[in-house]
Amino acid sequence: MSYTIEDKTEGIEEINSRLQNILSKQCHVEAQILSIGKAMSTLSNTHSDAKNLSDRLISTANLAENVSAKVRRLDEARSRVSECQKRVHDLIDLQLCSEGVIQAIRDEDYEKGAAHVNRFLSMDKSLLKRTADDVSESISSVSQAVSTLEKAADQIRLVVTQKFDEAVNADDMASVERFFKIFPLLGMHDEGIERFFNYICTKLRTRADKELRSSMDQAKADKRMPIAFADTMTVLLETMARVIETNQPLIETYYGFGRLVQVVALLQRECDNEIRKLVTEFKNNRQISRRLSQINDYNKVSGASAISSGHYRKPSGGSIDKLSAKDVDVLINEITMMHSRAELYVKFIRKRVNNDLESSTLSEEEKEKRLSNLDDLIRKSGLKTQMQELISTYLQFERYFMEESVLKAISLDSYEAGQQNSSMIDDVFFIARKCIRRSIGTQSFDGVCAVINNAASCLDQDFLNALRTPLKAGYPSGYIDLAQAYNAFQTSIQQGRIQTNDAEQGRTNFIVQLNNADKSLEFIETLWKMMGDETRSAFPLTTQRENEILESCLAGLKSFSDSLKAVIDYGMQQLRSSAIKPRVHPWVDQFQSQNHNMNDEELAVYEAGETFVQSLIVQLDDLLNSFKIQLSQNNYDALVDIIVTDVTARMERAIKKCTYNRIGGLVLDTEMRTLASYFTNIGSWAVRDKLQRLSQIATLLNLEKVTDLLDFYDPKDQGTIWRLTKNEMRTVLALRTDFKLDDIKKIKL
């Protein structure tokens, strides 16, 4: 019971505490209630203000709508007044034009008469009649004025046309331009342009005939006969361009923008005719057909000769009527200039027409249509056709020049003492670079790609065969046995001379051509990169398809490096079989004649003299030094690699043919370390990989006991990679005479 009273007492005290806490907040609550009361009165005022604002906005909106409607009606009325004034002015102008045009014709003031006609043509005839009816004007007088003006327009058109023709016949340029400016006022835009530029073409035709004759005389005087036709073509196209440049402001001023396409079409016909005459004269004067026939005949003969001989083509003798590469070079330069001038002229036309259309008010669809018409015009023009024929001729001449020049460089190949390469390599790549650069000068993208392909073909055939032929003959090592020496001596006696010089010359030629192949790798890398950059710079606006074609051609040129690598590998193998293998193998085989089961006394005697590895290193060093100065660095590194491969393979075979005791294994390990150190010093770090098997064999034979192998061999150790298999390890350990076969079999690998 007492526990219950205590609990109740505590509960009453807690309630009293909470009540006391609530009462303590009375003042704060009352203050908040008071502020709410004040806010209520403020909200009432705000509601009243918002309602007043809403009423004012509605009133303002209604007022704005009424004002807007009145403004629209006022604007409509103003438009009608303006239209009415225009119609009245048209009626007034109609009467003035009707009277003025007749007077202008009588006074031969054709500009003023054309202005009246132009004003009349801008009027709507049906609207004029309605206007006359609305303002109670006589419809018959309006019709009469219209009829008068129509007749006057026909009359002045006829007169202007006649006067223009008379000015043309009189070759009065000032009068021609005067009446040319009148044509657009009479609505004769197309006829005016056609007549004016037909007159211009007539003058150009006469001038071109004189220019062709005078240019030849001038070329003789200036000693520019080799490019006389290119100069004449330059003058002709510059004249055409100057006509466009001079008359474009006149056309834009009086005929408006967007009409240059029509002008170009008219001029292009005359340009085609003159270019056709020029190219025909060029072909006849330069005897293009005869020279192409000579090239074709020569190619047939030289091609058949190359197939029968089985090696690179050589320059033909005097029995074939053969063109001089120097003469062809001059002709190619002229064709290159002619084609580049034509491409430059076409670019000029495109730019001018494009700017003219951009300044016009024609729709985008109409602009695209006219640009398409221009492209069709150029593509089907005689200029383009003649240039395509020229570029075809150029490609045949360029290929002939390249091949003949390369063959000439090969036939004149010379070598200076102390040099690693001959003159042929510089000459051949200079010719290839010259031909490709000259093709870029033609401004013909297809021509550039064709010449790049021709260069790749020429290098891959004539030049590569010139490198390969001496290598096929092998390297005259001079290292022969007694039977070979006897046969060589008998042959020399029969021929009446000893052929030591021929052998030395053969060795030099072999090494030089091997170095040429190595240097060509560097040159071909530079060539395809340089020509690619120059081509992209010359043709910055190529399409994706054209870029793909160019990359394909450059890839063909670049792939020549693969052929060069194959030639180098072939040459190095020839060198290995002739000069390396016959010498190195006997040196290494001397290892088998050594005693590998030595005692301490025999070891002391062996170390006191020249050891096997010392003798081997001296012989190898003499051999390598004989080639170090002659071979290029890359070829020398390849030779070192071949010698290391042959020595390690032959050494491993010799080691496995011998048996060893503890001291013999120790000596072997020491010698293999010495040999590995020598090869590492003369070669690259990659040589270490080739020496790993030999080093591991020496390590196994140097073990003190069989179980020591477990200290070296751990399959889980990723740091050491064993080149020997488990069976090979047991085979090597069996070479130790002091190791028991049972112990070798029991060891767990």
Side-chain angles (χ1 to χ4, degrees):
M1 177 65 70
S2 61
Y3 177 76
T4 302
I5 293 173
E6 289 178 357
D7 290 342
K8 289 181 178 180
T9 303
E10 291 178 358
I12 291 170
E13 291 178 353
E14 182 180 355
I15 291 171
N16 290 334
S17 175
R18 291 170 61 187
L19 288 174
Q20 190 65 31
N21 186 28
I22 292 172
L23 291 174
S24 64
K25 296 179 180 180
Q26 178 179 359
C27 295
H28 178 67
V29 172
E30 289 177 351
Q32 288 185 338
I33 293 173
L34 182 60
S35 63
I36 291 173
K38 293 179 180 180
M40 289 296 293
S41 62
T42 303
L43 286 175
S44 176
N45 295 333
T46 303
H47 175 72
S48 178
D49 292 342
K51 186 176 179 181
N52 292 334
L53 180 60
S54 175
D55 294 340
R56 290 181 181 181
L57 289 175
I58 293 173
S59 176
T60 302
N62 292 333
L63 179 60
E65 186 175 355
N66 293 333
V67 171
S68 176
K70 291 178 180 180
V71 169
R72 284 196 300 270
R73 288 196 296 270
L74 183 60
D75 184 64
E76 183 179 355
R78 185 192 62 79
S79 300
R80 289 178 179 178
V81 170
S82 177
E83 183 182 356
C84 181
Q85 286 179 339
K86 182 179 179 304
R87 291 167 69 177
V88 171
H89 287 314
D90 285 347
L91 281 175
I92 296 172
D93 289 346
L94 179 64
Q95 187 65 33
L96 294 175
C97 290
S98 177
E99 297 172 355
V101 71
I102 296 173
Q103 185 64 35
I105 293 174
R106 291 175 186 161
D107 298 339
E108 295 186 354
D109 190 354
Y110 302 111
E111 288 82 356
K112 186 175 181 180
H116 287 309
V117 172
N118 183 259
R119 177 70 181 95
F120 165 68
L121 293 176
S122 65
M123 301 178 187
D124 188 346
K125 299 179 184 60
S126 60
L127 188 60
L128 286 173
K129 294 179 181 180
R130 283 209 315 268
T131 302
D133 185 48
D134 292 341
V135 298
S136 302
E137 185 74 20
S138 175
I139 297 179
S140 60
S141 62
V142 173
S143 300
Q144 183 179 0
V146 170
S147 177
T148 301
L149 280 170
E150 287 177 345
K151 291 178 181 179
D154 294 337
Q155 183 180 356
I156 199 171
R157 287 189 182 108
L158 180 61
V159 172
V160 168
T161 301
Q162 291 175 349
K163 292 294 183 180
F164 181 87
D165 292 340
E166 291 174 1
V168 168
N169 295 331
D171 198 16
D172 184 357
M173 189 63 188
S175 298
V176 168
E177 287 192 3
R178 174 194 174 192
F179 291 107
F180 172 66
K181 298 173 183 178
I182 295 176
F183 279 114
L185 297 176
L186 302 176
M188 302 172 68
H189 295 78
D190 294 340
E191 186 175 353
I193 289 177
E194 184 173 358
R195 285 179 176 274
F196 179 72
F197 282 97
N198 283 339
Y199 164 71
I200 295 294
C201 289
T202 303
K203 298 193 68 175
L204 290 175
R205 190 178 307 118
T206 304
R207 179 176 178 179
D209 294 337
K210 295 179 181 178
E211 193 68 41
L212 180 59
R213 292 190 296 268
S214 64
S215 62
M216 294 300 167
D217 298 334
Q218 187 67 30
K220 291 179 182 178
D222 297 341
K223 298 181 180 181
R224 292 176 63 87
M225 276 304 293
I227 55 172
F229 287 97
D231 288 344
T232 304
M233 186 172 179
T234 301
V235 172
L236 174 61
L237 295 178
E238 283 180 350
T239 302
M240 293 290 178
R242 194 175 296 112
V243 168
I244 296 175
E245 189 175 23
T246 303
N247 292 286
Q248 186 176 1
L250 188 67
I251 296 168
E252 292 174 350
T253 302
Y254 293 95
Y255 286 76
F257 291 95
R259 295 187 176 272
L260 199 58
V261 176
Q262 183 183 359
V263 174
V264 170
L266 293 169
L267 287 175
Q268 193 59 44
R269 288 202 297 264
E270 183 61 28
C271 179
D272 293 344
N273 293 333
E274 298 305 328
I275 290 295
R276 192 177 293 109
K277 293 178 186 177
L278 178 65
V279 173
T280 301
E281 183 66 22
F282 166 76
K283 291 180 178 178
N284 294 333
N285 187 278
R286 304 303 192 200
Q287 300 178 351
I288 300 297
S289 298
R290 183 182 67 81
R291 293 183 175 186
L292 289 177
S293 178
Q294 284 181 276
I295 291 176
N296 293 332
D297 293 341
Y298 169 70
N299 286 337
K300 291 177 183 178
V301 175
S302 61
S305 173
I307 294 175
S308 61
S309 62
H311 54 76
Y312 68 91
R313 298 180 295 118
K314 297 181 179 179
S316 62
S319 60
I320 298 178
D321 184 14
K322 176 181 161 226
L323 284 174
S324 167
K326 184 177 181 180
D327 294 338
V328 174
D329 185 38
V330 174
L331 191 57
I332 291 172
N333 288 332
E334 186 172 27
I335 297 176
T336 300
M337 291 180 63
M338 293 173 69
H339 194 278
S340 65
R341 299 299 185 269
E343 290 295 326
L344 187 62
Y345 173 71
V346 170
K347 289 180 180 179
F348 168 80
I349 289 176
R350 291 184 189 277
K351 183 178 180 180
R352 285 282 177 169
V353 171
N354 188 64
N355 292 340
D356 177 60
L357 291 174
E358 288 297 325
S359 301
S360 69
T361 57
L362 297 172
S363 64
E364 292 298 325
E365 183 179 354
E366 182 63 23
K367 290 179 182 179
E368 292 295 332
K369 181 180 178 181
R370 296 197 180 188
L371 284 175
S372 178
N373 292 338
L374 177 66
D375 292 338
D376 291 339
L377 172 69
I378 294 174
R379 186 174 61 255
K380 298 176 182 178
S381 66
L383 173 65
K384 200 69 174 178
T385 303
Q386 293 297 323
M387 290 306 103
Q388 287 174 349
E389 293 180 5
L390 270 185
I391 203 68
S392 176
T393 302
Y394 158 79
L395 290 175
Q396 295 182 66
F397 282 139
E398 189 71 274
R399 180 167 186 172
Y400 176 81
F401 169 79
M402 185 189 301
E403 292 177 350
E404 285 302 302
S405 299
V406 167
L407 291 176
K408 190 72 173 177
I410 293 172
S411 65
L412 297 177
D413 189 26
S414 61
Y415 167 76
E416 295 183 4
Q419 299 294 322
Q420 293 183 340
N421 302 104
S422 63
S423 63
M424 173 181 69
I425 181 173
D426 289 327
D427 295 341
V428 167
F429 280 94
F430 171 79
I431 293 165
R433 184 175 69 247
K434 173 183 176 179
C435 293
I436 297 175
R437 277 182 173 169
R438 183 159 54 189
S439 70
I440 296 175
T442 64
Q443 295 296 310
S444 171
F445 182 82
D446 293 336
V448 174
C449 293
V451 172
I452 291 176
N453 288 335
N454 289 343
S457 176
C458 182
L459 292 174
D460 201 43
Q461 294 177 11
D462 297 331
F463 179 61
L464 193 67
N465 287 334
L467 295 175
R468 188 187 291 117
T469 299
L471 301 183
K472 283 185 177 180
Y475 179 79
S477 65
Y479 187 81
I480 53 179
D481 56 22
L482 291 178
Q484 291 174 318
Y486 177 77
N487 292 334
F489 181 72
Q490 291 295 328
T491 303
S492 300
I493 292 177
Q494 293 173 5
Q495 295 180 353
R497 60 189 178 89
I498 303 299
Q499 299 178 341
T500 54
N501 291 335
D502 291 344
E504 181 63 29
Q505 187 177 10
R507 284 193 290 270
T508 301
N509 192 29
F510 183 96
I511 295 298
V512 168
Q513 298 307 331
L514 194 60
N515 290 338
N516 283 345
D518 176 58
K519 193 67 174 179
S520 296
L521 282 173
E522 177 185 342
F523 282 7
I524 195 65
E525 184 75 13
T526 303
L527 180 65
W528 78 265
K529 286 183 178 179
M530 182 185 300
M531 294 302 98
D533 293 340
E534 292 184 10
T535 303
R536 295 184 192 95
S537 177
F539 300 93
L541 302 178
T542 53
T543 63
Q544 182 178 357
R545 175 61 179 166
E546 288 174 334
N547 284 331
E548 293 174 355
I549 294 174
L550 177 60
E551 292 302 325
S552 175
C553 295
L554 292 173
L557 189 62
K558 183 182 179 182
S559 66
F560 177 60
S561 59
D562 296 333
S563 302
L564 289 172
K565 291 176 183 177
V567 168
I568 294 173
D569 292 342
Y570 177 78
M572 296 306 297
Q573 291 304 317
Q574 287 283 80
L575 189 61
R576 173 182 176 273
S577 62
S578 299
I580 305 303
K581 187 176 179 180
R583 300 185 185 187
V584 170
H585 286 192
W587 296 342
V588 176
D589 289 343
Q590 290 295 321
F591 178 82
Q592 300 179 41
S593 63
Q594 303 291 325
N595 178 20
H596 303 292
N597 292 279
M598 295 180 285
N599 55 34
D600 292 337
E601 295 179 359
E602 291 172 335
L603 175 61
V605 174
Y606 177 76
E607 291 179 343
E610 186 180 38
T611 63
F612 162 77
V613 73
Q614 290 173 346
S615 175
L616 178 61
I617 289 175
V618 169
Q619 291 170 321
L620 291 175
D621 203 46
D622 289 341
L623 177 62
L624 287 171
N625 286 334
S626 67
F627 286 103
K628 187 171 185 178
I629 299 177
Q630 302 178 49
L631 289 173
S632 64
Q633 185 61 46
N634 291 331
N635 287 338
Y636 178 74
D637 292 340
L639 180 65
V640 171
D641 188 74
I642 288 174
I643 290 178
V644 170
T645 301
D646 275 14
V647 168
T648 53
R650 194 74 178 182
M651 194 71 209
E652 181 178 340
R653 188 181 305 174
I655 289 174
K656 290 181 178 179
K657 291 181 180 180
C658 303
T659 58
Y660 310 85
N661 61 5
R662 176 71 182 87
I663 295 178
L666 176 63
V667 172
L668 176 64
D669 187 46
T670 303
E671 291 187 334
M672 291 305 100
R673 291 179 185 274
T674 303
L675 184 62
S677 176
Y678 169 73
F679 280 144
T680 302
N681 290 333
I682 65 173
S684 61
W685 281 97
V687 170
R688 290 182 174 272
D689 291 337
K690 298 180 181 295
L691 297 170
Q692 281 192 359
R693 280 183 61 89
L694 210 58
S695 299
Q696 290 172 0
I697 290 174
T699 299
L700 293 178
L701 293 176
N702 190 32
L703 295 176
E704 187 174 350
K705 54 183 181 294
V706 175
T707 55
D708 289 345
L709 173 61
L710 299 177
D711 296 335
F712 294 94
Y713 178 74
D714 184 4
K716 298 180 180 179
D717 184 8
Q718 300 296 327
T720 303
I721 300 177
W722 279 80
R723 304 295 182 182
L724 301 174
T725 64
K726 297 177 181 179
N727 291 333
E728 287 176 334
M729 290 181 187
R730 290 188 171 91
T731 301
V732 170
L733 290 173
L735 298 177
R736 281 283 294 271
T737 56
D738 51 335
F739 286 169
K740 296 181 180 180
L741 293 178
D742 292 340
D743 294 339
I744 295 173
K745 292 178 181 179
K746 289 179 182 178
I747 193 169
K748 295 181 180 181
L749 299 176

